[in-house]
Amino acid sequence: MAVLHDAVWLNVSPAFQEFNQPCLNFLSQSAYLSQYKYYLSLDEPLSFNTPLIWLHNYLKNCDPVHLIGHGISGLLGLLYARQHPEMVRSLTLISVGFYPSVDWQAHYYVQRQLLNCSQQKLLTQTVYNLFGFQCPPITKKLIGILKEDMISSLSPHTLYKRVSFSPGGVQVPLLVCRGEHDVVIDQNLWQGWSRVFKPCDRLWQCPNGRYFCHYFDPQKVGETIVNFWDNLLKSSDVICPADSLIYD
């Protein structure tokens, strides 16, 4: 009988909840899977300090768990794993680059500064970049979801300022997943992780995937994550050497 893993899916982007669900459903077949959700209120200052404290309170009475996060939620997992490696059995990042604060919003705001076009036109192009071609009603719905994410997520970027966090690795085993055709996390951002990889770490690319590869191909992404967990169980070197950490 297969071993069920203890895992926590991180979500600090409430507008994207439906994009996580297919992969959550798949992983729940192989894991005792829970969700940590942090939703930013409109009058709350944007900071990672509070969600990190709440996440630690959520996990402090648990055995070490596998953390999973997509986009800016993955950044939260990365920051937590750096602070509390003893609480994390492994970290899986989906659509998170070596410069981990780069998310779809950072990419969008750069385009807004570079291109002379309306917000609506650029959001329409962003929908294509993130999801591929969609019919007009679906495109309209997705534009609404992106607008909501700009208001409600923990992403720190605005039109006037992009925020950065130090690149580098973590002490715990790390799996970094990317969609093959992701224009936000390009090949350079993805392969940059290899600079700080330990023997137990893995890079994986979802064929034909984009920024939300875990939504469009939850089985392939889910199988990759579960295989990563299973291989860690077979290895005696579950916690990798800390001297491979690099912060530029």
Side-chain angles (χ1 to χ4, degrees), residues 21-55:
Q21 200 59 51
C23 198
L24 281 164
N25 293 341
F26 183 89
L27 290 174
S28 65
Q29 302 172 40
S30 303
Y32 296 110
L33 185 65
S34 61
Q35 289 191 70
Y36 169 79
K37 300 178 182 180
Y38 186 89
Y39 296 167
L40 192 70
S41 61
L42 290 177
D43 58 351
E44 180 182 354
L46 201 158
S47 170
F48 279 84
N49 292 333
T50 299
L52 283 169
I53 291 171
W54 284 28
L55 177 57

Side-chain angles (χ1 to χ4, degrees), residues 57-115:
N57 289 336
Y58 183 77
L59 295 176
K60 65 182 180 182
N61 295 321
C62 304
D63 292 331
V65 298
H66 299 286
L67 291 183
I68 313 160
H70 169 267
I72 210 67
S73 301
L75 172 58
L76 179 71
L78 180 69
L79 296 176
Y80 184 79
R82 288 175 178 175
Q83 290 184 9
H84 300 285
E86 75 283 357
M87 302 299 298
V88 182
R89 186 163 179 79
S90 77
L91 175 65
T92 295
L93 303 177
I94 304 171
S95 303
V96 179
F98 181 62
Y99 294 92
S101 62
V102 176
D103 64 351
W104 84 268
Q105 289 195 37
H107 185 267
Y108 165 79
Y109 286 125
V110 167
Q111 296 300 305
R112 283 213 64 183
Q113 289 185 327
L114 294 176
L115 302 177

